[in-house]
Structure formats: C-alpha cells, structure tokens
Amino acid sequence: MRFYEFESRRIVERAGIPVTRYGFCTTSEEAREAAAEIGGPVVIKSQVLTGGRMKAGGVKFADSPGEAADHAAAILELEINGHVPRGVLVDPKAEVAQEYYAGVIWDGTAKRPMMLFSDLGGIDIEEVAESHPDHVGRGHLSSLLPISDFQAKQVIADTGVTGSELARATPILARLARMMRDCDMTLAEINPLARLEDGSFVALDAHMEMENEAMPRQKALLDELGIGPDDTREPYEPSEFERNVTAIDAADHRGVIQGRDHGFAGNLGLVIGAGGGSLTLTDAVRSQGGRPANYTEIGGNPSVSKACGLAKEVLRKDGVEKIAVMMSIVSNTRVDIVARGVIKACLELGKDPAETIAIFRIPGAWEEEGFRILERYGVEYCDRSVSMWEAAGRAVAKIQGPGHPAAAEVRDGEAAG
Amino acid sequence: MSILLSEDFTFIVQGITGREAVNLTRECLDYGSKVVGGVTPGRKGREVHGVPVFDTVEQAVDAVGFVPNGAVVTVPPAFTKDAVFEAIEAGIELIVIVTERIPRRDVAEMVELAGMRGARIIGPNCLGVIVPEVCKMGGIGGPARDAAKAYQPGPVGVMSRSGGMTTEISSSLTAAGLGVSTAVSIGGDAIIGSAYAELMPLFESDAQTEAIVIYTEPGGRMEAQLAEWVTDNQSRLPIVAFMAGRFMDDEEMKGMSFGHAGTIVEGKEDTATEKIARLEGAGIQVVERIDEIPDAVKGKLGVAA
C-alpha cells in the first residue's frame, strides 16, 4: 500500500528524521492559514498517489497566504493521471544548499533490504545509477541482526560524502533503514533529502509503501495515520464487476475467486484459474486474436454457488457474448463443482449453456463427473490431452466466427489429428 | 537419481491437524512418502492417518529417534516464521513452506537463519517437491493417483513459480513420453527460499537430469539471475522456458499484480519482454505456447518429436 506524501512525512518524522514544518490541508482556507503560520514563501503540493505532479501543475510556489489559498483551490480541483488529490501539503520553501537521496528497498535476489544513498538527489535514483554509478552507495542489511549506524555511514561515504555532512546524514539513513524493517515497508525513500544553508538536514519529500500482507500487524501505525482497513489504495477505482466479485467471494468461505476487468474490454468472458493458469490462459486467448472481457482466478475448491456467482458476473458484463471456462490441471478444486456452477449461471440468466460456454477445459479432480454433467447440457469440453493453448484457441474461434485465423488453425489441427 | 528428495527421505508436517494438511498428509502417505510425524501445539497424542502428532518439533525428533530430513510447514501466516525457526533449530535441512501471504520481512528472516544453519527453504506459497515414483513432499500433483498420472520418471527437471503449472507442464512432459526427474514448485512470492539459479547446481550434478523446463512470470529478477548463472557456469543442461503474463506488459497493467504476489511490474526489468530477452541472451529457449514445451525439450535432447 502506497502512502500519500503527508503520511510519509509523518512516518519519517516518527522515525526521528527532521522534516520541515508542513501543513496538510483539504480546503483553500486551511492552506491560507497554514501559509500564514509558516510565514514567508511556501510551496503547495498536490497529494496524489501518482508521479509527475510537477509537470501536471500539481506543485506551485506562493509568496503570500492569499496566493497560497488560490493555488490550493486550483490544485484541489486538478486531477492528475486520473487521480483526485486527497488534499494539499503546504511546505516552507526551503533554502537548500544541496539535495541528496536516501532510500531503503528490498533486494529480492539477495533476499535482504538494501540501503541506497546518493549525493545527487532530487532526481530519479534509477537515472542516477545509470548516469553516475559512482554517486550511488549501496549496502545490504541483515533481517535478524540489529542495524548499526556504521552500515549507513559506509554507504554514504562510498559516494564521497565526508565531513560534517557525513556525520549528519548517517543517523538519518540508519533510522530510515530501521523504520523500513520495523514497519514492513517495501520501499522507503526520502528524495530529496536536503542540506539547508545552516548545515542541517531535512526530508523535503518522502515516498513509503507498506506490504499489504503486513498491514494487520501494523495496525497501530495505520490507526495513528487514520488509515482504515477499507482504504485499500488500489492504483485505480474498482469497477462494479470487481466489487461484485469481491462481495461474492467474501460471502462464502469455500474457495477463492478473484475478478478484474481494468484494462480489458472484449467479448469473451474468462472464467479461469488458478494463479499461473490464469496468466497462461489470458495470454493464450490474446495471442490467438481473442479479446478477453476480464481476468479471473478460481482456486481452493469454491462452492457451486460461488462458481455460479462468478460466471454470472462475467456473463452480465457489457459486450460479453460467450464465456470460456478453463484451468490448468486441478487437484484441489473439483471439476464437477465448477461445471455445475457455470451451467447454473447460464440457466439462471436464461442462456443455453451449449451456446454460451465456448469451451470447458478443466482436467483433474472429479473430471469424469464433471464431463458427464457437461455432456448432458451439450457443452464442449476437453481433458488434459487438449493443451491450454488449444482450448483457448477453440474458444476464440467460436466467438470470432469461422473466418477467423484461429478457427482455421483449429480445423487444421482437427484434420491433422 | 533426483534432487532434494530420495527413497529414504523422511519428513514431518507442521500444522498437521489443519484441513489442508490432513489431505496433504494422506496424499503423501498414499504416494509412498515417509511422513514420520506431525506437529500442532496442544494436539500431542493424536494421530493423522496413522502419523503421530506432537506439540513440538523436539518431541517429534525424540520420538522418532532421529532428525527427519524435511518439514512441510502449513500453518497460518502469523505463525509461519516461528514454525520454520523451530524446524531449522531442530536441525531439519529441507523446509517446504506452503503458506501464502507471509510478509517478506518474515521470509527474509527465515531464509537468513536457514543460511546460517545450512538448511534450505522451498517456498513460501508453493506446493512442494516431487520425485516421480519415489517421494512427494507437499500437495504437489494432488492425490497419489492423480500425481502418478501427471508425473512419470524421466530426464527433465521442472521449476515453476506456479504450483498448478508445475503439474500442467509435467503432465505434458509425461504424455510426450519424456517424464520428470524432479519437479519443484518454487513459490509465487517476491522473495522465496530457493530461486531457479539456486536449484541449478543440484540439477547440474544430478545424473538423471538432462534438461530443464522453467515456468516464469513477470516481476522480480529471478530470471535475470538464472540467465547470469547459466552464462557464468557454462551449464551442461539445456533449458526451455515458458513465460506467462505477457499481457501484463500493457501500460494499463502497470503496478498491478496478477496471479501471485510476486508478479508486479514496477521497473523495466520486471516485464515479460525484458525477461524473455535476458533468458534468450543466455541461450535459453523461450516458447510462447505452453504446448510447445515437450517438442522444444525433445529438440534439445536430440529426440525425434
């Protein structure tokens, strides 16, 4: 879960890292008051969970509280990459002598957190790593042993930073590293970390992401920030289809179903599973010219009503003409139960299963029972001797009509077989 | 031969009284695996399909009279780290973690302790390991009868980030008359105990294994690491890779994960396109269609398709 900048600032502050005296505001009037309290020139920043704020006009400078209020009013109305701002941050315009980067991320290969530091701050760290590799210091951390300041010192010193700057930056990076580990962050970045004219260091912007799986045990921190369990911060607003599938899944503990349709807009509904199988099948449909209407995952042996509910939601989607019911070989999920569920969905919506289900390809546990049911309703099915690729191709051929290349390939395959 | 497991391999099941663990235990016993004990705190004295249940791993070790070779851990995410630490400290050397949704800090701690004690972790979020007709450790392949149908002995080592696809691919290798030496469901999370490159040395020194098939997904650097390993070590084993989730390269899918927690495209290195290029750069054949795998392996082995 990604935090807003104002939350990230608070997290950084809690960790004992100095920040400027900022104000989070949701109205232009609050922004005026915050600017008056800060005194002097301020910067007003849109609070959105997306990059490119500056370019989009989401960051503006003001010399007076009145100007701050005007900018805040404009920024609060400004959507950036489809995101409506949660508020604005009013920050003193700092007298910066130099900008640095301090970050801690996971290194999946080393399976350890890794500290990153650069004396070229304010820009994307990946860019710096490419253009000035000698200006990026790196150091891995243990997950079991305490984090010592010297580890941070080494990373910073590797970039050539020395003198009082090294002494002042060291505890900041070490504290960031401890916070990252303790608070289950997947990413903890301060960029820029600024050295002010008086030699002190402050975090001017921060970006934090917490691992979703760890949110229950980080409840105290989330409560403190006022983040409730419903505040999931998906990269986009869930659609009606997605909300309905989530509700069906939550209503019945048997099995797990998931559904997505963000970025999909085709005519072939997919009732597919499980994790890897769904990825494989979605690719197979698209590679053969099919247009999936959605993405789903079925797993953990769902009940008939759950499978039925999922299939109904897929069938109800705009533009869906047929569904393809496909999985890799199952050992836990029962073929007959999914078969019953999808047939029930067709019947309850007044559709003929034989016409509506383009293909049923789920081999594995209880397949004989499942295939008998499908046969009774005239639904085309296949076992493991038909690959996932071929099953997807048959579904595409059916929905695109006989003139489609995928249909020709299926015919060729049948002729050859 | 095989990797990880062998004829006389013994293991315990931690969390054995859970619903899934009970099924898994029966499947493994039916397959001929030597499940010598189970652990669920507070359930000492019970039996699960004839397997004695203990409160602690230490009790299980004392009762059987030796340290079992392995442990399958299937306990809720909040308790997994403790269970794995318990197994490692008891001297168990191969730990399969079935549990999903474990925060990566916990996984990193388990992996680090395992490294200090000379233990190996497979998973989390995996179905385990199978050596056809020899031993099955975990739910991989399902009931013994189904596992036998999908997994027959042969020259191909299989590693997969998806548990279900491990069986799908192995089944196609079996149907093509090739068969499997050892299949490992390595897990779908961002951080796992044993990635492809970390299992390659084992396959490399296994006489039965003549080729490798991997199932891969977007997200992470595991494929790049494999490509580097293959190049650096001049591997004798031809590798065929299948990359699922190509659709995730679309701009609209950025920042979303599909299928497994580990599949999230954040940077350029995470994309399917980038991974395919890296694998191919190391001489690894990447097939686009899942049904091309058996013929690609036959091609590598010089067997007529």
Side-chain angles (χ1 to χ4, degrees), chain A residues 275-277 279-280 328, chain B residues 122-129 140 151 157-170 173 182-189 192 194-196 199 203 212-217 222-223 226 240-242 244 260 290 293:
Chain A
L279 295 178
T280 303
S328 55
Chain B
I122 305 288
N125 191 5
C126 81
L127 291 182
V129 185
I140 189 164
Y151 293 91
V158 177
M159 294 185 273
S160 167
R161 285 170 68 176
S162 156
M165 291 305 288
T166 318
T167 297
E168 181 73 34
I169 289 169
S170 299
L173 293 169
T182 304
V184 188
S185 160
I186 61 174
D189 285 355
I192 54 172
S194 302
Y196 309 117
L199 292 169
F203 278 120
I212 298 288
V213 171
I214 64 165
Y215 165 93
T216 77
E217 297 177 343
M222 239 178 275
E223 292 74 15
L226 173 66
V240 172
F242 173 75
H260 300 113
I290 187 80
I293 293 173

Side-chain angles (χ1 to χ4, degrees), chain A residues 223-342:
Chain A
D223 282 352
E224 191 185 317
L225 295 167
I227 299 168
D230 300 333
D231 198 348
T232 53
R233 314 257 167 116
E234 290 290 333
Y236 61 92
E237 282 291 311
S239 67
E240 192 189 347
F241 169 76
E242 291 169 340
R243 284 197 307 272
N244 292 350
V245 173
T246 304
I248 295 167
D249 188 46
D252 182 346
H253 71 278
R254 290 166 295 178
V256 183
I257 56 165
Q258 289 176 50
R260 298 258 189 86
D261 62 355
H262 178 82
F264 294 92
N267 56 354
L268 179 60
L270 299 183
V271 180
I272 56 177
S278 293
L279 295 178
T280 303
L281 288 161
T282 304
D283 280 348
V285 167
R286 289 188 15 150
S287 299
Q288 295 178 80
R291 294 184 297 119
N294 65 290
Y295 173 90
T296 55
E297 281 172 32
I298 308 170
N301 199 20
S303 60
V304 171
S305 67
K306 207 170 207 178
C308 171
L310 177 65
K312 266 184 168 172
E313 288 305 325
V314 175
L315 280 166
R316 281 199 191 110
K317 275 181 58 65
D318 281 347
V320 169
E321 296 161 29
K322 291 179 191 296
I323 54 171
V325 184
M326 308 182 284
M327 288 178 79
S328 55
I329 299 168
V330 293
S331 54
N332 183 17
T333 296
R334 275 172 53 171
V335 177
D336 60 326
I337 288 180
V338 180
R340 274 179 217 281
V342 294

Side-chain angles (χ1 to χ4, degrees), chain A residues 142-143 211 260 283 297 361, chain B residues 104 112 168 245-246 257 259:
Chain A
S142 162
S143 296
E211 189 165 29
R260 298 258 189 86
D283 280 348
E297 281 172 32
R361 192 265 186 200
Chain B
R104 62 186 95 174
E112 197 170 328
E168 181 73 34
R246 294 173 191 237
S257 80

Side-chain angles (χ1 to χ4, degrees), chain A residues 106 111 142-143 181-182 184 186 211 217 260 276 283 286-287 295 297 328-329 331 361 367 387 389, chain B residues 103-106 108 112 142 149 168 171 192-193 198 215 245-247 250 256-259 288-289 291:
Chain A
W106 274 105
K111 301 166 197 180
S142 162
S143 296
R181 214 173 68 173
D182 294 346
D184 286 298
T186 52
E211 189 165 29
R217 70 180 181 198
R260 298 258 189 86
D283 280 348
R286 289 188 15 150
S287 299
Y295 173 90
E297 281 172 32
S328 55
I329 299 168
S331 54
R361 192 265 186 200
E367 65 180 14
S387 73
W389 171 271
Chain B
R104 62 186 95 174
R105 176 174 33 134
D106 291 12
E112 197 170 328
K149 199 168 167 186
E168 181 73 34
S171 175
I192 54 172
E198 293 163 302
Y215 165 93
R246 294 173 191 237
F247 74 91
D250 283 11
M256 292 165 69
S257 80
F258 288 86
E288 195 193 339
R289 295 167 47 163
D291 58 351

